[in-house]
Amino acid sequence: MTTAALSATGSRTRLLWLDLTRSCQLQCRHCYNGSGPKGGHGAMTREDWASVLDQAAGLGITHVQFIGGEPTLHPDFPDLVGHALDLGLHAEVYSNRVHVSEQCWSLFRRERVSVATSYYSDRAEEHNAVNGRPSHRRTRANIERAVRLGVPLRVGIIGADDERTRAARRDLQDLGVTRIGVDHVRPFGRGAHGHAPDMADLCGGCGRGTAAIGPDGTVSPCVFSSFLDVGNVRERPLADILGGDQMRQATAAMGSVARSGACEPDEECSPGYPGTECNPRN
């Protein structure tokens, strides 16, 4: 393990978010990065992403989370997840579960793969109103199928009132889901309603053991802090970026800002990592 792979706090980077694409079948009104049907896959090629995975494994990073957009829409998604698994990495896929191909179902049943998704309401009309498409039936059916196939699954209930949250939780429990978290809308992307991103809306722990890579190769401390560019993997080695001055300065700046209370996890933000209930994909 090289010192370049250490974060500003000295803790080893253990989780990378791989933001493969801004393309998505849905157009959720609160999407933190503004993904939708018109979104693209960015400048990162298959070789670029494979190189990131190779470097991550070499640095001792253990977990990657494939996100977007809808990561399964990326043409190289199956190959990249397979490559991560071949390297011994644990891979979580954060998918809207609107459409799951048989190839993806086979992939999701492999060892060291888990799946996560968001659920907005047990009522179809409320769920569909959030994402702008009649997707509730398909998402719910694919959640049910994942449970039936034994695919490790966690579901985040997002932005509902207490009554609707309880009803959605019961609905998911009836389907057999055991890992259920509750989260709120984060004020980034469309969720910011036109306001500029504010570091006070971050938890302050971003970059401590985590980093995110966007479709153009830009690295940031987490998926919500994409406005804090600390380097690009198409230009510099991943180790240099994770251990570089820009990452240290960004994490220090976030840690020094008074929190607004919008995100206060009990642990370092590590979505998809064992034991956490944080749901940044929301």
Side-chain angles (χ1 to χ4, degrees):
M1 186 68 187
T2 66
T3 56
L6 301 180
S7 73
T9 61
S11 61
R12 179 169 59 84
T13 302
R14 65 190 185 280
L15 170 72
L16 280 182
W17 289 282
L18 305 184
D19 186 355
L20 296 185
T21 180
R22 296 297 161 80
S23 177
C24 185
Q25 306 99 321
L26 309 178
Q27 193 162 345
C28 298
R29 62 192 183 196
H30 60 279
C31 181
Y32 74 91
N33 64 21
S35 294
K38 296 182 180 180
H41 301 316
M44 289 284 282
T45 65
R46 183 199 180 284
E47 290 71 25
D48 290 331
W49 285 118
S51 176
V52 165
L53 290 167
D54 291 339
Q55 293 177 69
L59 292 172
I61 292 169
T62 57
H63 287 68
V64 293
Q65 187 184 67
F66 292 90
I67 58 174
E70 172 52 39
T72 63
L73 292 179
H74 193 283
D76 298 314
F77 167 77
D79 290 341
L80 293 173
V81 175
H83 188 57
L85 299 178
D86 291 343
L87 291 168
L89 298 170
H90 293 260
E92 182 176 70
V93 179
Y94 215 124
S95 166
N96 59 36
R97 317 297 290 161
V98 172
H99 175 73
V100 183
S101 67
E102 291 305 318
Q103 183 183 25
C104 284
W105 282 119
S106 297
L107 193 63
F108 295 159
R109 298 178 73 180
R110 290 186 59 178
E111 187 177 357
R112 299 194 311 281
V113 177
S114 61
V115 177
T117 194
S118 299
Y119 199 61
Y120 304 113
S121 176
D122 59 313
R123 296 178 176 175
E125 64 274 17
E126 292 181 353
H127 179 96
N128 296 341
V130 172
N131 58 44
R133 293 286 298 276
S135 62
H136 181 267
R137 179 181 60 82
R138 291 184 179 180
T139 294
R140 190 178 187 279
N142 283 322
I143 289 173
E144 185 175 24
R145 185 175 179 183
V147 172
R148 187 169 65 251
L149 293 175
V151 174
L153 173 70
R154 66 184 181 97
V155 181
I157 303 171
I158 314 305
D161 60 36
D162 290 344
E163 180 182 353
R164 294 268 48 85
T165 295
R166 288 192 293 269
R169 183 185 291 274
R170 287 193 299 269
D171 187 29
L172 292 168
Q173 290 172 333
D174 288 344
L175 294 177
V177 180
T178 57
R179 294 188 63 198
I180 304 171
V182 178
D183 203 2
H184 56 270
V185 173
R186 309 300 179 91
F188 300 99
R190 284 196 290 270
H193 304 295
H195 296 290
D198 188 340
M199 281 197 289
D201 292 319
L202 299 168
C203 72
C206 312
R208 298 176 184 172
T210 66
I213 303 174
D216 63 353
T218 298
V219 181
S220 57
C222 76
V223 292
F224 292 128
S225 60
S226 59
F227 57 96
L228 297 174
D229 179 350
V230 299
N232 192 296
V233 293
R234 301 177 71 221
E235 301 168 357
R236 296 167 55 198
L238 180 62
D240 290 353
I241 297 172
L242 298 181
D245 289 341
Q246 289 174 285
M247 177 66 91
R248 284 193 291 271
Q249 291 166 5
T251 54
M254 287 183 290
S256 66
V257 173
R259 307 268 70 79
S260 68
C263 179
E264 297 181 355
D266 295 330
E267 58 183 311
E268 291 182 358
C269 186
S270 52
Y273 198 78
T276 183
E277 291 300 328
C278 188
N279 294 296
R281 173 62 176 78
N282 302 328

